[in-house]
Amino acid sequence: MGTIQAMPESTQGSLVDVLVDYVRILLGVDQATVIEWRADARTFQVLAASGSLTHTEVVPGDPIDAAVYGLTTAPRSAPSTVSVGDGPSGMVAFLERVGARHHLSVPVFDGPGDGWILEALRVDDVAFGDAELAAATMLAPLAVTAIRAEHSERYFRAVTERARDAVVVLDAEGRMLYRNPSAGSVLGWRNEDLGSISSFELIHAADVDTVRAAFAEIVADPSRRPVVKVRVQRREGGWSHVEAALTNLTDDPAVGGIVVNYRDVTEAVEAAARLRESERLRRELLLSLLSAEQQERARLAGDLHDDTLQVMIAAQYRMQMVGHELTREGHPRAELVTRTGADLGQAIGRARLLMFELDPPDMAPGGLAAALSALAGVEASEGGFAVEVEVTTGDLPDATRRLCYRTVREALTNVRRHAKAAHVNVRVERANGYVTGVITDDGDGFDIAVLHSDGRRLHLGLRALGARIEQTGGTWRIDSTPGQGSTLVFEVPVHGA
């Protein structure tokens, strides 16, 4: 059986990649990029890109000298657009090289040094408008936030790998019987300074009981190997975070004491705090993206309801009136007009379904269970299959509830459009801080290996939702075999519950 899971490490999109892909889809452009400006070298470098253009200047690669574009200083101007035949010669030449006709850029600079630029490119002859410029301006700072979060994560990994070990042997009172050359230098002490100091004197008052408990544990049971994290005073003042592993070798005549292997993990602890902050920023960024998309969906649904749908309903009413009149007169065109009115009624039904998909009604008071039952009923009616829905999640944070709803909706839409299924089962449940969803159908299924090998992509909506699930710390996969149906499984953490 074939399986699609979260993308492998070599191809899995980072948070910046997901955001750039979102920008490309939202703006309807052929290429979107995030570019870093290095003030000291006066160079541009593409950090992330999404789209169909392949020129080296619009995909991640080596830094490019700003002089190539006729620039000598940082592009700190306001958001702007450039088109072939209407712009600086350097930028026009750039557009011609990469095969585009229109360029949109939003610079983000915190000060006089380095900065970033969100860039969008369009190949066809449709210029960028004010709405697209406004949307890009809103998203550019989010891209910078994503870049900084990933820098924090890389820093965390780097400092963790540089931690250094030291070894001391203590008696039961904490006095040092032996210390290796690194024992003092790890904490900024000279080794000779440590000879007259009890180890307990250097430990933060709030952590002393933790160390004494570890000593008592290994004295009572020498087979134990406790590991503690404590704060230890530095020679020049302040505190270092130390991770120590204790081993009782008092009965070993070659040692005769308690061996403590320790290392200074201050940088790792501080980096972990920065990592937690980056995760918080990551979640806020994802929520901002979901909120922005939801607002745009609500706007489109409102426009559809207030304008297009009303015109269609009015047209149907007039068509029915004309049809009745022609029928009463026995006109030969009466049946054609009546059928046209019925076709218009079907189009109105599809428009209402589209409006429902764009902006589903508020899930309160029935919550996710009621919303998914209503959604499944609509999809089953349209797709001609039977559906069973079981939801046991209780109350959920709004962002989690909407992500689960949209994932199930995308799965059911794919079943309706492609699976030719007779039965579909939807199960969503909450346990141990996660919501797990399983959507199974008995339709045609497909060969996932062929899906990858012939270059076809998984349906864009489901792939984009999968990326969002991964960015919340969740997982997803699709299992499918030709002739045996398909199963989508997703799991998302419940944040802010």
Side-chain angles (χ1 to χ4, degrees):
M1 177 179 290
T3 299
I4 295 178
Q5 299 185 11
M7 289 178 286
E9 187 66 26
S10 60
T11 60
Q12 183 172 352
S14 68
L15 183 59
V16 181
D17 293 327
V18 172
L19 189 141
V20 171
D21 198 43
Y22 176 77
V23 170
R24 177 182 59 80
I25 295 170
L26 180 65
L27 299 184
V29 297
D30 298 285
Q31 189 84 357
T33 62
V34 173
I35 301 169
E36 184 178 35
W37 161 261
R38 298 301 301 272
D40 54 350
R42 298 184 183 279
T43 59
F44 295 101
Q45 185 172 15
V46 177
L47 302 181
S50 172
S52 57
L53 300 184
T54 59
H55 193 276
T56 55
E57 292 179 67
V58 292
V59 295
D62 296 331
I64 302 173
D65 195 313
V68 172
Y69 309 106
L71 298 174
T72 57
T73 59
R76 299 174 181 272
S77 59
S80 62
T81 60
V82 172
S83 299
V84 171
D86 181 22
S89 58
M91 289 302 299
V92 171
F94 160 71
L95 289 175
E96 292 174 345
R97 285 195 302 274
V98 304
R101 295 189 58 81
H102 301 282
H103 176 271
L104 179 152
S105 63
V106 181
V108 180
F109 286 80
D110 292 334
D114 300 341
W116 298 270
I117 301 169
L118 179 65
E119 177 186 72
L121 296 159
R122 185 171 280 162
V123 172
D124 58 23
D125 199 18
V126 179
F128 289 107
D130 292 341
E132 292 155 313
L133 196 60
T137 302
M138 177 188 71
L139 292 171
L142 300 181
V144 174
T145 298
I147 292 169
R148 287 173 174 155
E150 292 184 0
H151 284 176
S152 293
E153 293 171 24
R154 286 195 293 270
Y155 178 71
F156 172 76
R157 289 192 292 269
V159 299
T160 300
E161 294 170 359
R162 291 203 309 269
R164 299 158 295 175
D165 287 336
V167 180
V168 297
V169 179
L170 308 176
D171 64 15
E173 301 301 320
R175 289 185 294 267
M176 292 188 187
L177 306 176
Y178 166 82
R179 53 191 177 273
N180 75 342
S182 298
S185 61
V186 165
L187 302 175
W189 292 87
R190 294 175 301 182
N191 263 16
E192 53 266 30
D193 295 332
L194 299 177
S196 59
I197 301 175
S198 169
S199 299
F200 293 112
E201 295 177 22
L202 300 177
I203 296 172
H204 193 285
D207 298 332
V208 169
D209 287 346
T210 299
V211 177
R212 291 194 183 279
F215 263 66
E217 178 183 351
I218 60 174
V219 169
D221 184 358
S223 67
R224 306 285 293 177
R225 300 288 187 273
V227 176
V228 296
K229 291 184 179 179
V230 297
R231 287 157 290 180
V232 178
Q233 186 176 4
R234 298 188 63 84
R235 184 172 185 271
E236 69 274 14
W239 301 90
S240 290
H241 292 268
V242 169
E243 181 180 77
L246 286 69
T247 305
N248 187 349
L249 296 179
T250 54
D251 293 335
D252 187 332
V255 180
I258 295 173
V259 179
V260 181
N261 297 76
Y262 66 90
R263 56 178 180 163
D264 184 353
V265 293
T266 302
E267 286 187 83
V269 170
E270 294 174 350
R274 286 191 287 271
L275 178 63
R276 289 192 294 271
E277 175 64 11
S278 76
E279 289 295 333
R280 185 188 66 80
L281 292 173
R282 180 193 296 271
R283 288 194 296 271
E284 289 185 356
L285 175 60
L286 180 64
L287 292 176
S288 297
L289 287 175
L290 292 174
S291 176
E293 184 171 3
Q294 184 59 36
Q295 291 175 15
E296 180 64 13
R297 285 172 169 269
R299 185 191 67 79
L300 291 172
D303 290 347
L304 183 62
H305 176 272
D306 296 339
D307 186 283
T308 306
L309 196 57
Q310 300 307 315
V311 172
M312 294 172 68
I313 292 173
Q316 183 193 32
Y317 176 75
R318 289 193 294 270
M319 189 70 70
Q320 289 173 341
M321 294 292 292
V322 172
H324 291 324
E325 183 68 25
L326 294 178
T327 299
R328 188 170 56 251
E329 295 176 357
H331 197 284
R333 296 289 184 180
E335 183 180 355
L336 175 61
V337 172
T338 301
R339 286 202 306 269
T340 303
D343 291 341
L344 190 55
Q346 291 181 356
I348 291 172
R350 293 192 182 95
R352 283 180 172 143
L353 176 61
L354 176 60
M355 188 174 65
F356 180 87
E357 291 179 347
L358 284 171
D359 188 31
D362 187 9
M363 295 180 191
L368 183 63
L372 289 182
S373 294
L375 169 68
V378 172
E379 292 288 351
S381 176
E382 286 286 314
F385 54 79
V387 63
E388 296 180 8
V389 179
E390 181 182 357
V391 181
T392 56
T393 60
D395 292 334
L396 292 173
D398 183 66
T400 305
R401 187 168 62 246
R402 288 190 177 276
L403 183 58
C404 292
Y405 178 89
R406 292 185 56 205
T407 303
V408 174
R409 183 185 65 194
E410 190 65 36
L412 290 176
T413 298
N414 277 290
V415 171
R416 170 169 56 84
R417 291 176 177 173
H418 308 288
K420 300 178 184 177
H423 298 89
V424 178
N425 182 272
V426 177
R427 188 176 75 254
V428 184
E429 58 188 9
R430 177 178 179 175
N432 302 319
Y434 283 82
V435 174
T436 301
V438 181
I439 302 93
T440 303
D441 70 76
D442 62 357
D444 289 346
F446 57 93
D447 187 336
I448 293 174
V450 173
L451 183 73
H452 287 305
S453 65
D454 68 5
R456 290 183 292 170
R457 298 182 302 171
L458 188 66
H459 303 298
L460 181 60
L462 196 55
R463 176 66 76 183
L465 280 173
R468 290 192 184 94
I469 289 171
E470 292 164 17
Q471 295 302 331
T472 66
T475 60
W476 69 287
R477 73 175 190 274
I478 294 178
D479 298 329
S480 186
T481 299
Q484 298 184 28
S486 302
T487 298
L488 167 68
V489 180
F490 68 90
E491 184 178 74
V492 296
V494 181
H495 294 300

